[in-house]
Amino acid sequence: MTTCEDPSGYRPEDEDEFMDILEERRRSSDLGHALRTFTPSPYKGAPPLSAGALNRTVLESQYLRYVTKEVAMETGESVDLVREEASGILEEMSQNLQLGFIRLLGFTLSKVFKRLFSHININQEGLNRLQQAIQESPVILMPNHRSYVDFLVLSYILFTYDLPIPVIAAGIPLMDMKMVGEILRRSGAFFIRRTIGSDKLYWAVLSEYVKTIVRTGYAPVEFYVEGLRSRTLKSLTPKLGMMHMVLEPFFKGEVYDIRLVPISISYDRVLEESLLAHELLGVPKPRETTMGLLKARRVLEEDYGSMHVYFGMPLSVRQLTKGRVDRCEYNLLPRDLPHRPSVETQECVSWLAQQVIRVQEQNSILSPWSLMACLVLQGHQNTDPAGEEQEKGLSWELLTQKTLWLKGLAISFGARLDWPDQLPEIQVMASSMALHRSVIRCRRGRVTLLEEEEGPVGAGPFTTEEGVVRRARAVLMVAAYRNQALHVFIRPAMLALAVHTTQGSRREDIYSSFRFLLDLFSNDFIFITGRSSQDFEEACSLLRKCGAVQTSQQEVTSPEEGQSTTSFLRALLQPFIDAYQVVFSHLCVEEVEVFTERQMVPAVRSLATKLLLSGELKSYEALSSCLCVSRRAEVL
């Protein structure tokens, strides 16, 4: 398989083979698996430490003592009262990892995963690399976040292969779920409030708790660098608070090195696909409750295909930061005092987070449906405002032809595909269609989106505006799977757009347009800071290889035979451009100069609905709250 070299210098190993973790579970006893001997090899320098001893170490640290005195002076409260408050915060937050609950979770998840997924495929070499890294340095597990299943599957895998169970940063709503919250706590979850703000004491307790786990090597730390579950299934801009916490022990010289392990979790079908689409259309996210979890058990009756979990090459923080950060600045103050990171350190931490996400993207596994979704959306034609059906969608024959073409293009661009070579290609595509039958159908030889055509019983016919929302739901569900493939095409797509929109063919002018697009889409896609020139050259190389552009030292041109490729690539960016145009249209007529996100998103969505009904706008993705928010951030 052809792959692209990633920014850290690591080239994904072509010989990495996947093994199905569920194969053995289908042949043997789940109870035997849960009760078997568990003897992981921890970090070599880690002292034996219980959860209670870990908490005492945090509370007795010089750092927390210093902060509690500061808070007491600022608030006028007694030091003892502030320390009691800190102890309460830690009790609320801390994990209480117990092997018995890991076994219970292992038994339960074996049952659940076998119902949900046909395969859970893992790269064996990645596990071997992880096992070695855990014994040599404190390890930070950094998976992408696309589903609630992400939270559970890594602990299950590590337990199965006799690797230390991680402690996992989790949102506080999970803690509030009766029984479930306590099971998660005893399975290694520690809980973080969603809004911390300027709560100095909470920040101090949280950061010291995380740093103590890292510096002692108590357990691998697992957290999502994107912060939130991605509702669009594409990578999100990294959140850097936790990143600073886990790296500070290295910057202060308290550990020799730290290994960051990018983990790519890819799904054929995501459990929450319908929920995600509704959230993007403004339907409030349901509160996490135990009763809600029990009601959601009907998902066990569905087929969600395969899951792929790729453990990337452990990245040495010591090697990656060499020459980027002067750690001597940390020697000028006692280690136990709070220290605001320099601009240089903040930029380095942001760069490291971008590196991790880029590796996550390169190691993700694309399903055939992700490629088909790109084409289905481009071939989708809207129903006109009067509601008269037009011939829409793609013919099955054309979709097959284009998908096979796109498969070749994706592989040449370095994509990793889960495309069974032993099966006829038509069968692979038909199986993908069947897996997503809740949103796609093939009728009379044409492939179209399956919209919610009927409302609740007794509700009567829906309005044209409601029809737009129903159609948008189907579009957003398909767009989520297209988004999983966008990292493969985004740089060539921006070059194709730059060539198309730039007057003339001077390489310098086209590079300038490319740079503009990098900035424009910086809230939509992950671009590593300082790599615009390399991104441009990579895009030129990929499009030149497939014959879509011709380049010289002075020019970049698009020959006639490459027009189909560049046209497809430009169309991938069109929904994002359309969203910008809707936001600009709203701002041009809106007289209020100051407004909040809560005010703007419904207003932009209302304008987009009117434009869709009038036929002036074709992209239903403009109704997505995520696109509205990213456009607002970029414009402002």
Side-chain angles (χ1 to χ4, degrees):
M1 184 184 299
T2 307
T3 55
C4 292
E5 188 175 355
D6 79 41
S8 67
Y10 164 58
R11 190 180 184 86
E13 298 295 336
D14 290 346
E15 64 269 19
D16 269 356
E17 294 184 357
F18 284 94
M19 56 186 178
D20 180 11
I21 194 175
L22 295 183
E23 184 179 349
E24 176 65 23
R25 297 280 50 76
R26 298 188 197 282
R27 295 200 311 255
S28 59
S29 165
D30 293 332
L31 184 61
H33 169 258
L35 297 179
R36 78 191 201 289
T37 302
F38 180 64
T39 55
S41 299
Y43 171 47
K44 62 184 178 183
L49 201 63
S50 66
L54 175 68
N55 288 1
R56 288 192 294 272
T57 301
V58 173
L59 288 173
E60 294 167 4
S61 67
Q62 290 296 322
Y63 172 78
L64 205 54
R65 288 178 181 274
Y66 179 87
V67 173
T68 52
K69 289 180 180 178
E70 273 196 334
V71 172
M73 291 178 62
E74 293 169 2
T75 61
E77 297 178 343
S78 68
V79 172
D80 288 342
L81 190 60
V82 175
R83 283 184 59 80
E84 184 178 340
E85 184 181 350
S87 178
I89 292 172
L90 186 59
E91 183 179 353
E92 172 194 78
M93 174 191 304
S94 60
Q95 55 79 35
N96 186 20
L97 183 61
Q98 296 177 13
L99 182 57
F101 279 83
I102 293 295
R103 295 187 185 281
L104 172 62
L105 203 60
F107 175 77
T108 304
L109 291 181
S110 289
K111 301 292 186 186
V112 171
F113 287 158
K114 285 189 293 184
R115 292 285 298 272
L116 291 176
F117 301 105
S118 55
H119 307 280
I120 297 181
N121 297 312
I122 305 154
N123 61 321
Q124 176 69 62
E125 186 56 36
L127 284 175
N128 295 339
R129 293 190 294 253
L130 175 60
Q131 184 174 34
Q132 182 177 350
I134 286 174
Q135 296 176 52
E136 295 175 350
S137 306
V139 162
I140 313 299
L141 302 177
M142 304 181 71
N144 53 4
H145 196 13
R146 304 295 178 263
S147 169
Y148 287 124
V149 177
D150 303 338
F151 186 83
L152 304 168
V153 72
L154 290 186
S155 294
Y156 179 76
I157 292 170
L158 298 188
F159 172 69
T160 298
Y161 289 99
D162 235 20
L163 295 171
I165 304 299
V167 294
I168 311 166
I172 204 76
L174 292 175
M175 185 192 75
D176 295 332
M177 298 173 66
K178 294 179 180 178
M179 296 190 301
V180 174
E182 188 58 29
I183 290 174
L184 293 177
R185 186 189 299 275
R186 298 193 185 196
S187 301
F190 65 96
F191 300 97
I192 304 174
R193 296 175 188 171
R194 280 183 172 170
T195 53
I196 301 174
S198 58
D199 190 332
K200 187 175 183 178
L201 185 61
Y202 191 92
W203 271 111
V205 174
L206 174 60
S207 62
E208 184 61 18
Y209 184 69
V210 172
K211 289 183 290 186
T212 301
I213 292 172
V214 174
R215 78 167 68 97
T216 61
Y218 174 82
V221 176
E222 177 186 331
F223 75 95
Y224 304 110
V225 68
E226 298 167 291
L228 303 170
R229 177 173 52 103
S230 173
R231 292 180 294 172
T232 60
L233 300 192
K234 65 181 178 64
S235 299
L236 304 177
T237 303
K239 306 295 186 294
L240 302 179
M242 185 68 70
M243 195 79 174
H244 277 284
M245 293 178 199
V246 299
L247 294 178
E248 189 171 316
F250 169 75
F251 290 139
K252 287 187 173 182
E254 296 171 314
V255 295
Y256 179 77
D257 196 6
I258 292 173
R259 299 294 181 90
L260 308 178
V261 182
I263 302 173
S264 306
I265 306 178
S266 310
Y267 296 90
D268 281 354
R269 183 184 172 199
V270 177
L271 272 69
E272 306 93 334
E273 59 181 8
S274 180
L275 173 64
L276 296 178
H278 282 99
E279 286 183 40
L280 290 173
L281 290 171
V283 179
K285 174 185 172 184
R287 183 170 175 266
E288 290 96 341
T289 64
T290 303
M291 185 59 65
L293 179 64
L294 294 175
K295 289 181 179 178
R297 65 185 182 274
R298 62 178 178 273
V299 301
L300 296 176
E301 301 169 4
E302 293 283 334
D303 179 10
Y304 291 91
S306 296
M307 179 199 308
H308 284 78
V309 183
Y310 191 101
F311 291 86
M313 180 74 74
L315 305 176
S316 166
V317 174
R318 188 177 188 87
Q319 291 179 8
L320 287 173
T321 59
K322 189 175 182 180
R324 287 184 170 270
V325 173
D326 181 9
R327 292 196 292 160
C328 293
E329 66 175 277
Y330 289 91
N331 296 330
L332 302 177
L333 289 172
R335 288 176 176 171
D336 295 325
L337 295 184
H339 180 80
R340 185 176 181 82
S342 65
V343 173
E344 177 188 62
T345 301
Q346 293 179 51
E347 290 176 349
C348 182
V349 170
S350 177
W351 177 81
L352 283 171
Q354 293 168 354
Q355 293 274 25
V356 168
I357 293 178
R358 184 74 178 115
V359 176
Q360 288 175 348
E361 290 179 337
Q362 290 183 317
N363 289 338
S364 64
I365 309 299
L366 300 186
S367 68
W369 173 242
S370 289
L371 301 182
M372 296 169 68
C374 295
L375 300 166
V376 167
L377 287 176
Q378 291 188 17
H380 177 64
Q381 295 180 8
N382 302 313
T383 304
D384 68 19
E388 297 176 4
E389 286 290 333
Q390 304 171 352
E391 187 178 33
K392 54 185 180 179
L394 285 173
S395 72
W396 172 251
E397 182 179 355
L398 183 59
L399 178 59
T400 302
Q401 176 187 336
K402 287 191 170 185
T403 301
L404 297 181
W405 164 80
L406 186 54
K407 172 189 173 186
L409 185 67
I411 291 175
S412 73
F413 283 3
R416 290 172 168 266
L417 296 183
D418 178 28
W419 193 294
D421 293 331
Q422 71 276 15
L423 297 178
E425 292 169 325
I426 298 297
Q427 184 177 338
V428 172
M429 292 181 59
S431 296
S432 294
M433 287 269 293
L435 189 65
H436 295 274
R437 60 186 176 276
S438 63
V439 75
I440 198 79
R441 67 182 173 187
C442 184
R443 179 179 294 178
R444 294 190 293 272
R446 297 197 71 81
V447 178
T448 58
L449 299 186
L450 184 61
E451 301 160 12
E452 291 184 26
E453 297 178 354
E454 296 181 3
V457 176
F462 51 80
T463 64
T464 53
E465 288 80 6
E466 290 172 334
V468 168
V469 172
R470 292 167 186 270
R471 195 167 300 116
R473 170 192 168 274
V475 169
L476 291 177
M477 285 177 66
V478 177
Y481 294 99
R482 177 212 58 200
N483 290 344
Q484 291 184 312
L486 285 182
H487 68 275
V488 174
F489 303 109
I490 183 59
R491 288 158 184 81
M494 290 194 303
L495 177 58
L497 184 58
V499 170
H500 183 71
T501 57
T502 303
Q503 292 185 350
S505 58
R506 289 179 63 235
R507 189 184 186 100
E508 182 180 347
D509 294 339
I510 290 173
Y511 175 60
S512 178
S513 296
F514 184 86
R515 283 284 304 271
F516 167 76
L517 293 172
L518 277 176
D519 293 337
L520 182 69
F521 293 121
S522 60
N523 284 321
D524 297 292
F525 307 101
I526 302 302
F527 305 113
I528 297 176
T529 304
R531 277 189 54 87
S532 58
S533 177
Q534 293 95 318
D535 285 337
F536 179 75
E537 294 301 329
E538 176 188 322
C540 287
S541 174
L542 293 174
L543 288 186
R544 187 171 56 244
K545 183 167 60 174
C546 68
V549 300
Q550 295 173 347
T551 64
S552 67
Q553 290 185 344
Q554 291 79 32
E555 290 188 319
V556 178
T557 59
S558 180
E560 185 65 31
E561 57 270 24
Q563 291 300 309
S564 60
T565 298
T566 54
S567 177
F568 163 78
L569 292 171
R570 294 197 309 271
L572 287 177
L573 293 175
Q574 194 60 49
F576 302 91
I577 296 171
D578 288 343
Y580 269 115
Q581 292 175 330
V582 174
V583 170
F584 276 122
S585 297
H586 168 72
L587 294 176
C588 287
V589 299
E590 181 60 56
E591 296 180 358
V592 180
E593 295 184 1
V594 179
F595 47 83
T596 65
E597 179 181 314
R598 181 173 294 182
Q599 294 169 328
M600 181 176 179
V601 171
V604 171
R605 186 178 285 128
S606 176
L607 175 59
T609 300
K610 292 177 182 177
L611 294 174
L612 285 164
L613 288 171
S614 69
E616 297 176 65
L617 177 67
K618 300 297 183 183
S619 176
Y620 284 80
E621 292 180 65
L623 296 172
S624 166
S625 57
C626 281
L627 286 185
C628 291
V629 171
S630 65
R631 296 295 89 82
R632 170 182 178 270
E634 186 67 33
V635 169
L636 298 183

